[in-house]
């Protein structure tokens, strides 16, 4: 069975005055319904990227311009993530420095790992991919939380170990600029001995700091 995915591009105007919303609908895209996942990122350059994930197949990346016309389509294979499997999680998808940047959480070589994949926003091709962080061992897993700046394209990664260790840092934040260079690291001295378990519910970035 074929699932017709419709891309909706809304041009909102005069909603408060009660006028009808204007919109256009693109031509349908023929994708299979079973075992699929789709993510969409609207770029500041006017392009829209559609990431289509289908079981046992390569990642499909389609690029649409600001007139909603398809201008590129790629079938990409990652060195770190097999998108045809289900052994990973997409934590975030950001528009950074005219690239679509995807952060993926998965296990590599028995270690919990955070992978960063950068896509060209005009061609849809993978421009670069690298490991941002990983657990030190299989039985002491590190969890990752992405925090994006509102005022610029910088971001942070919050690392939190799932088990307390008396001689190692359990929680810390690494700050990255829009070129993905680490610019500083802050340790978070949490007294975990008073708690049975610590779980990060959410994290947000503000000019005053990360909350």
């Amino acid at each position: 069975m074929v699932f017709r995915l419709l891309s909706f591009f809304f041009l909102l105007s005069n909603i408060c005055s009660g006028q009808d919303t204007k919109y256009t609908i693109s031509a349908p895209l023929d994708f299979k319904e079973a075992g699929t996942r789709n993510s969409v990122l609207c770029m500041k350059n006017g392009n829209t990227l559609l990431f289509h994930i289908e079981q046992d197949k390569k990642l499909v990346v389609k690029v649409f311009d600001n007139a909603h016309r398809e201008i590129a389509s790629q079938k990409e294979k990652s060195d770190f993530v097999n998108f045809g499997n289900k052994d990973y999680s997409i934590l975030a998808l950001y528009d950074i420095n005219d690239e679509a940047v995807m952060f993926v959480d998965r296990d590599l070589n028995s270690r919990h790992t955070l992978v960063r994949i950068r896509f060209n926003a005009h061609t849809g091709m993978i421009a670069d991919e690298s490991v941002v962080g990983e657990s030190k061992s299989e039985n002491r897993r590190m969890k990752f939380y992405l925090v994006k700046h509102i005022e610029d394209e910088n971001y942070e990664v919050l690392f939190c170990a799932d088990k307390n260790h008396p001689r190692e840092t359990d929680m810390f934040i690494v700050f990255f600029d829009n070129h993905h260079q680490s610019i500083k690291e802050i340790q978070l001295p949490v007294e975990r001995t008073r708690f049975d378990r610590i779980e990060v519910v959410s994290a947000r970035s503000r000019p005053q700091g990360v909350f």
Side-chain angles (χ1 to χ4, degrees), residues 56-70:
D56 299 325
K57 291 188 178 181
K58 293 181 179 179
L59 171 69
V60 176
V61 185
K62 290 185 177 290
V63 184
F64 302 86
D65 63 13
N66 58 2
H68 323 313
R69 299 169 298 197
E70 183 178 326

Side-chain angles (χ1 to χ4, degrees), residues 73-202:
S73 181
Q74 307 291 343
K75 292 183 178 180
E76 290 295 282
K77 181 180 180 180
S78 167
D79 293 334
F80 296 102
V81 181
N82 184 353
F83 285 100
N85 291 341
K86 297 181 179 180
D87 59 347
Y88 65 91
S89 298
I90 298 176
L91 298 184
L93 185 59
Y94 295 142
D95 176 358
I96 300 176
N97 202 20
D98 201 33
E99 291 180 331
V101 184
M102 180 183 292
F103 293 89
V104 181
D105 179 342
R106 66 152 305 178
D107 284 353
L108 284 175
N109 302 319
S110 300
R111 294 186 177 186
H112 203 206
T113 306
L114 178 63
V115 177
R116 178 179 56 218
I117 307 176
R118 295 159 51 191
F119 295 86
N120 186 298
H122 303 274
T123 66
M125 300 178 64
I126 292 178
D128 182 73
E129 50 185 333
S130 58
V131 172
V132 180
E134 62 182 4
S135 301
K136 291 186 177 182
S137 64
E138 181 179 3
N139 60 359
R140 190 167 186 271
R141 297 168 65 83
M142 184 71 73
K143 297 181 180 180
F144 314 103
Y145 304 87
L146 275 296
V147 183
K148 181 70 169 58
H149 283 201
I150 297 177
E151 65 275 8
D152 55 37
E153 295 185 336
N154 296 353
Y155 61 95
E156 290 92 40
V157 179
L158 172 61
F159 297 80
C160 181
D162 62 353
K163 295 180 181 179
N164 184 36
H165 193 285
R167 296 183 302 275
E168 295 181 7
T169 302
D170 295 300
M171 191 180 300
F172 58 94
I173 300 176
V174 180
F175 293 73
F176 293 88
D177 62 17
N178 64 340
H179 296 287
H180 310 288
Q181 299 298 314
S182 174
I183 54 179
K184 66 178 176 179
E185 179 178 321
I186 296 179
Q187 306 295 322
L188 302 177
V190 179
E191 181 54 57
R192 296 181 61 158
T193 58
R194 297 187 295 123
F195 307 100
D196 295 329
R197 179 183 179 87
I198 290 181
E199 189 77 23
V200 177
V201 178
S202 65

Side-chain angles (χ1 to χ4, degrees), residues 2-7 25-31 50 62 64 70:
V2 174
F3 169 63
R4 293 191 174 271
L5 177 66
L6 302 181
S7 301
I25 304 178
S26 74
L29 306 174
D30 291 337
F31 287 140
L50 168 65
K62 290 185 177 290
F64 302 86
E70 183 178 326

Side-chain angles (χ1 to χ4, degrees), residues 10-23:
F10 291 91
L11 302 177
L12 303 179
S13 63
N14 299 325
I15 296 178
C16 295
S17 63
Q19 295 185 10
D20 293 336
T21 300
K22 297 179 180 179
Y23 61 88

